[in-house]
Amino acid sequence: MTADTLTVANVRIPGRDGAWDLFVAGGKVRELALHDPNAPRPEGRVIDGTGLLLMPALTDAHTHMREPGQEWKEDIASGLAAAAAGGFSNILCMANTDPVNDNGAITRFMLRRARDAWPNGPRLFPIGALTVGLRGRELAPMAELAEAGCVAFSNDGEPVADTEIFRRAMEYAADIAPVIDHCEDPFMAKGSGANEGAMSARLGLRGQPDAAEAIQVARDILLAEYLHVPIHLAHVSCRRSVELIAAAKKRGAPVTAETCPHYLLMTDAALLGYDTMAKVNPPLRSDDDRLALIEALREGVIDILATDHAPHAAHEKETPFEDAKNGISGLDTALAALWELVRQGRLAATDIVTRFAWRPAEIFKLPVNRFAPGDPADFLLFDPEDSWVVTPESLRSKGKNTPLLGQPLTGRVVLTAVDGVVVHDLKAPGA
Ligand code: DOR
């Protein structure tokens, strides 16, 4: 399908009063105007937005697409299908593939797979490895990776333990692209997908203390301030980290941070019954942590939302708790799940727009739609009243590993467009 003339008519927009018409031409926003019921029918396709919310399409700064090497969990085609269904136009994917994305050939391969499967988007933006093989010893060829198309660097789930090497990596990356760090003291956080606390004690699971995350957060903040080099902190899960980030930002440290829907919606109580679907790294924490994260997101201490989409196959989760893989499949359900917090009045819909669309695009310098004329026509339509139940069949991702399975959600992405091309339409035949 090519970008054509398109109008979304009579739609509501978070943070604005009244009903609006969005006019799209040539893949760009032409105009956003108050809805005029007496206006002549515009040319091209008209999408009736009655009862729907219009938002910019989302940018996910943290996904795992699993290709090359682990296509039984996900491949780039299925991952981008889940992204389209979830309302995303930009997807950053981590380097923990097999082989690792630590050279330009792998990056180019990923980009080719994305283009072949989804020529009109969602757009894929690979994150290059920070160190060769994610082994934390030699720096990856970052200039080569950036030239091939990487937009950031990260060692992902294998944080660099050697602070001197991490410091050199930050310095080297400084002129190339942002560094994203999964904050976890690797000695203290061994194994486990459970928070260390009353719940882990009750279940007899080895726990991971929140301090294991916060120690690394503190290290990264100190390095960012010392080197004057920005750092982006991945999937922040606890109050201790939030407090460190808030204080650092007050001092003007070049730090940005993300958290994920599951840390805002769930606690380690989800592990009761040893539910491996809720096993994730960092682990789900306490209710106090959850509330601190929601507050931090509203205040901008946490800059962005990201899914940490981590698809796994059934046999990798249907195991004893200790053996199960960490991770939650999140692209399909992120917005609908977060909507629960909007319904509860804990988040505003505008918080979601800022934290899941505008700010991530700003941090990683990606295309973004602020509905100004000439902006890329990347948008989603959301039905806030649509009630549905999360089933394996309802997920486009190959990864059916979500604790939301079987749960009812209210609110659903019904249409996603990238550069003015509809890439997901729930009402289309066969969708
Ligand atoms: O739960 C997780 N799963 N956390 C990570 O950091 C890695 C990810 C994965 O790749 O499965």
Side-chain angles (χ1 to χ4, degrees), residues 3-21:
D4 41 25
T5 305
L6 190 78
T7 303
V8 181
N10 194 30
V11 75
R12 286 180 297 134
I13 299 181
R16 300 187 192 221
D17 292 332
W20 296 81
D21 293 340

Side-chain angles (χ1 to χ4, degrees), residues 387-426:
S387 292
W388 58 294
V389 176
V390 182
T391 59
E393 301 72 41
S394 69
L395 306 175
R396 303 294 199 278
S397 169
K398 285 188 194 179
K400 311 300 180 188
N401 52 304
T402 163
L404 296 174
L405 279 187
Q407 284 198 28
L409 293 178
T410 301
R412 194 167 194 181
V413 175
V414 294
L415 184 141
T416 308
V418 181
D419 286 327
V421 179
V422 174
V423 293
H424 165 70
D425 184 351
L426 198 58

Side-chain angles (χ1 to χ4, degrees), residues 100 148 168 311 319 331 359 373 395 407 425:
V100 166
R168 296 297 173 200
T319 66
L331 280 169
R359 189 81 179 108
L395 306 175
Q407 284 198 28
D425 184 351

Side-chain angles (χ1 to χ4, degrees), residues 64 66 96 156-157 182 235 280-282 308 310 312 326-328:
H64 302 268
R66 307 299 193 203
N96 65 341
D156 192 38
H182 167 129
H235 46 46
V280 62
N281 191 28
D308 193 10
H312 293 292
N326 280 307
I328 293 175

Side-chain angles (χ1 to χ4, degrees), residues 108-140:
R108 284 189 294 273
F109 167 80
M110 290 168 143
L111 290 171
R112 196 169 59 243
R113 299 292 282 178
R115 242 184 347 260
D116 288 351
W118 289 85
N120 298 306
R123 311 176 190 97
L124 188 74
F125 296 97
I127 299 169
L130 193 63
T131 64
V132 173
L134 301 178
R135 284 189 292 272
R137 291 198 286 271
E138 292 156 73
L139 304 193

Side-chain angles (χ1 to χ4, degrees), residues 183-377:
C183 289
E184 165 183 315
D185 180 295
F187 307 102
M188 207 176 177
K190 278 214 175 84
S192 151
N195 180 44
E196 185 171 290
M199 187 56 71
S200 66
R202 177 169 166 194
L203 295 174
L205 295 172
R206 180 186 176 128
Q208 184 188 116
D210 57 3
E213 174 179 303
I215 284 168
Q216 200 86 301
V217 165
R219 175 192 80 164
D220 287 9
I221 288 170
L222 290 170
L223 283 174
E225 286 184 295
Y226 177 62
L227 302 171
H228 302 284
V229 170
I231 187 88
H232 179 74
L233 308 173
H235 46 46
V236 170
S237 71
C238 61
R239 179 184 287 277
R240 281 187 211 284
S241 299
V242 165
E243 287 172 356
L244 288 165
I245 296 163
K249 284 192 164 185
K250 247 190 206 137
R251 297 193 300 271
V255 176
T256 53
E258 78 194 26
T259 191
C260 313
H262 40 272
Y263 301 117
L264 304 179
L265 290 156
M266 282 180 263
T267 67
D268 57 0
L271 300 185
L272 269 176
Y274 302 91
D275 184 3
T276 58
M277 291 297 187
K279 184 179 178 189
V280 62
N281 191 28
L284 298 173
R285 307 269 187 199
S286 69
D287 205 44
D288 179 61
D289 292 306
R290 184 178 82 85
L291 297 175
L293 289 165
I294 293 174
E295 192 56 31
L297 193 75
R298 291 179 73 137
E299 288 173 351
V301 170
I302 300 281
D303 298 78
I304 67 170
L305 286 156
T307 62
D308 193 10
H309 177 71
H312 293 292
H315 70 272
E316 295 166 314
K317 284 288 194 180
E318 288 166 7
T319 66
F321 190 87
E322 243 90 22
D323 299 337
K325 297 280 186 203
N326 280 307
I328 293 175
S329 180
L331 280 169
D332 283 274
T333 54
L335 186 54
L338 283 168
W339 203 250
E340 182 58 28
L341 294 172
V342 176
R343 282 158 45 87
Q344 291 172 7
R346 291 180 186 271
L347 283 184
T350 49
D351 291 327
I352 294 181
V353 170
T354 308
R355 307 278 160 223
F356 223 163
W358 291 342
R359 189 81 179 108
E362 217 169 78
I363 293 171
F364 297 102
K365 302 188 174 60
L366 304 180
V368 63
N369 176 15
R370 293 176 188 273
F371 294 116
D375 281 355

